[in-house]
Amino acid sequence: MTATEPVFSVRDLWKVFGPKADRIPGNAEYAALSAEELRARTGCTAAVRDVSFDVHKGEVFVVMGLSGSGKSTLVRCLTRLIEPTSGQLAMDGEDVIAMDKNRLRELRRHRAAMVFQHFGLLPHRSVLDNVAYGLEIQGMPRAERRAKAARVAALVGLEGLEERRPGQLSGGQQQRVGLARALAVDPQVLLFDEPFSALDPLIRRDMQEEVIRLHREEGRTMVFITHDLNEALRLGDRIALMRDGGIVQLGTPEEIVANPADDYVRDFVRDVPREQVISVRRAMRPARDGESGSGVALKPDTLVSDAIEAVARSGDYCRVVEDGRTLGVVGYEELLAVVAGLDDDAEPKEVAAV
Ligand SMILES: Nc1ncnc2c1ncn2[C@@H]1O[C@H](COP(=O)(O)OP(=O)(O)O)[C@@H](O)[C@H]1O
Ligand SMILES: [Mg+2]
């Protein structure tokens, strides 16, 4: 395995539910049909429809889309909890489709751990034994697995609750147990299927912070499903936006908000506070004569919201500087254009007729 090998590599992946599902992938006639037409004509649902992407090592890869768009099916295909209908799938360069039962079991126990919305905790076991469950399945001796479980429980804020039963915990605490159980096996990648959707907004926010912290501290690769755009923008290094089984856009939060691939995506991101996602790299204009030598310097990834403050403090434009080089400048005009959404090149600007 090389350092640049993706954790997951997915090519032309299909999952079709229904009679004679095999006939759907690769058939040009069926490919032209909408999800509804396909269902009417064949009785089949293409839950995942010709999807290709890589998950890079160390990133949070978010799969976002409305309910029924194929998110859960796609992520379950990664470890073949659902068997793909066709396509290629590799983990660390190893062909997952070709794996036998033993190798697959090994993958699910050690290499990829899943965190679900409904925590799937064992009600009659203590928190500690729930956290240790995956280690028990791996065959780790009791004392050793309980010691490891205690460390991981503390890591996610469950200290002092180790001997409680799941029924004696709040929803947020139960989800911490689910998270700890997944972390305990020290998997190379964590897969989250809408883990926080059932939680109250404040607790949900706490859990998102927890994920961000874990990611920052451990650099663990994560695939995170959500139908919530704000959650996707907050957590994702990259976001794959799904619709009817296909990926309509794959990019960084900034790319998706600044350059929606089509009207569907544009509509999806309409209410996002753009200045909190878009950076000055996109907002800047070329420096004019004399401007590149003076003025406050900002890094290219400075958010527009922060740049507005910097410009307010300096009372003038700021320079966008990388490696000592001035890439461009931003002043109020450029920054407010982002806030107002007037920077979207893909969308023709309307000129008021007089
Ligand atoms: N076992 C199944 N049999 C038939 N259809 C299914 C099955 N599982 C999911 N589907 C269908 O596949 C589509 C995608 O479902 P799912 O992956 O659960 O979407 P999401 O997680 O985005 O809500 C939906 O139309 C759903 O009804
Ligand atoms: Mg789902």
Side-chain angles (χ1 to χ4, degrees):
M1 173 188 151
T2 65
T4 53
E5 191 93 68
V7 175
F8 284 112
S9 176
V10 177
R11 292 292 175 276
D12 314 321
L13 195 77
W14 288 75
K15 176 62 197 186
V16 181
F17 294 106
K20 290 188 251 152
D22 290 350
R23 71 198 146 134
I24 309 295
N27 180 309
E29 197 183 322
Y30 292 143
L33 302 178
S34 72
E36 215 167 302
E37 290 166 339
L38 182 70
R39 206 154 12 222
R41 278 270 295 278
T42 66
C44 287
T45 301
V48 174
R49 197 170 180 153
D50 199 15
V51 157
S52 300
F53 62 91
D54 286 339
V55 175
H56 305 318
K57 197 168 162 38
E59 78 172 332
V60 180
F61 186 92
V62 167
V63 180
M64 183 180 66
L66 301 177
S67 173
S69 58
K71 307 179 297 294
S72 294
T73 305
L74 174 59
V75 171
R76 279 167 175 72
C77 280
L78 295 179
T79 57
R80 285 176 56 199
L81 288 173
I82 290 178
E83 201 62 64
T85 305
S86 72
Q88 291 97 53
L89 171 60
M91 186 179 192
D92 287 338
E94 183 183 355
D95 186 349
V96 175
I97 305 292
M99 286 182 183
D100 64 14
K101 262 204 173 112
N102 287 333
R103 190 70 185 139
L104 258 187
R105 190 179 305 136
E106 152 99 11
L107 183 156
R108 292 179 196 146
R109 284 186 184 172
H110 295 268
R111 294 165 72 187
M114 192 117 189
V115 183
F116 299 98
Q117 177 180 356
H118 302 290
F119 327 115
L121 303 180
L122 302 166
H124 302 298
R125 289 186 164 210
S126 68
V127 164
L128 199 63
D129 285 331
N130 266 288
V131 174
Y133 183 66
L135 301 171
E136 183 177 345
I137 298 225
Q138 288 180 2
M140 187 183 280
R142 185 163 192 275
E144 195 181 331
R145 68 176 186 250
R146 284 177 63 90
K148 177 147 193 209
R151 278 200 305 279
V152 177
L155 185 71
V156 303
L158 288 169
E159 223 155 354
L161 303 174
E162 291 89 342
E163 293 313 321
R164 290 211 193 165
R165 307 271 173 252
Q168 299 169 303
L169 301 177
S170 70
Q173 288 166 338
Q174 289 186 50
Q175 192 50 282
R176 282 174 197 266
V177 178
L179 181 57
R181 185 181 49 192
L183 275 173
V185 300
D186 204 17
Q188 187 179 354
V189 51
L190 280 171
L191 309 174
F192 296 88
D193 191 350
E194 308 216 25
F196 309 145
S197 298
L199 302 176
D200 294 337
L202 286 180
I203 295 167
R204 181 172 187 159
R205 189 74 189 231
D206 275 355
M207 291 304 292
Q208 290 168 353
E209 293 300 326
E210 194 72 40
V211 166
I212 291 169
R213 186 179 68 82
L214 280 172
H215 182 252
R216 206 170 33 224
E217 288 173 8
E218 305 196 330
R220 203 180 298 268
T221 309
M222 301 180 177
V223 177
F224 195 104
I225 298 178
T226 183
H227 66 264
D228 177 349
L229 177 64
N230 288 319
E231 189 163 80
L233 294 172
R234 195 170 299 141
L235 297 180
D237 290 312
R238 291 190 303 150
I239 300 170
L241 211 166
M242 290 188 78
R243 180 193 191 186
D244 286 341
I247 293 180
V248 286
Q249 189 167 7
L250 172 55
T252 63
E254 181 175 2
E255 282 164 355
I256 287 178
V257 170
N259 273 319
D262 61 14
D263 285 342
Y264 178 77
V265 181
R266 183 170 294 120
D267 212 41
F268 222 99
V269 301
R270 188 173 301 274
D271 297 326
V272 172
R274 302 164 57 80
E275 67 278 12
Q276 290 170 29
V277 183
I278 295 174
S279 65
V280 293
R281 190 192 286 280
R282 276 170 201 275
M284 67 191 183
R285 62 166 169 80
R288 298 185 191 114
D289 280 349
E291 282 182 334
S292 53
S294 63
V296 174
L298 301 173
K299 290 193 186 125
D301 62 356
T302 306
L303 291 177
V304 165
S305 57
D306 295 328
I308 289 173
E309 284 181 33
V311 167
R313 271 198 307 274
S314 78
D316 204 345
Y317 63 86
C318 290
R319 291 180 303 136
V320 179
V321 177
E322 189 173 48
D323 300 329
R325 224 160 43 86
T326 298
L327 305 178
V329 301
V330 286
Y332 276 130
E333 197 179 329
E334 290 74 33
L335 298 172
L336 294 181
V338 171
V339 176
L342 298 175
D343 58 324
D344 188 349
D345 293 326
E347 205 168 35
K349 291 160 187 104
E350 275 190 34
V351 180
V354 272

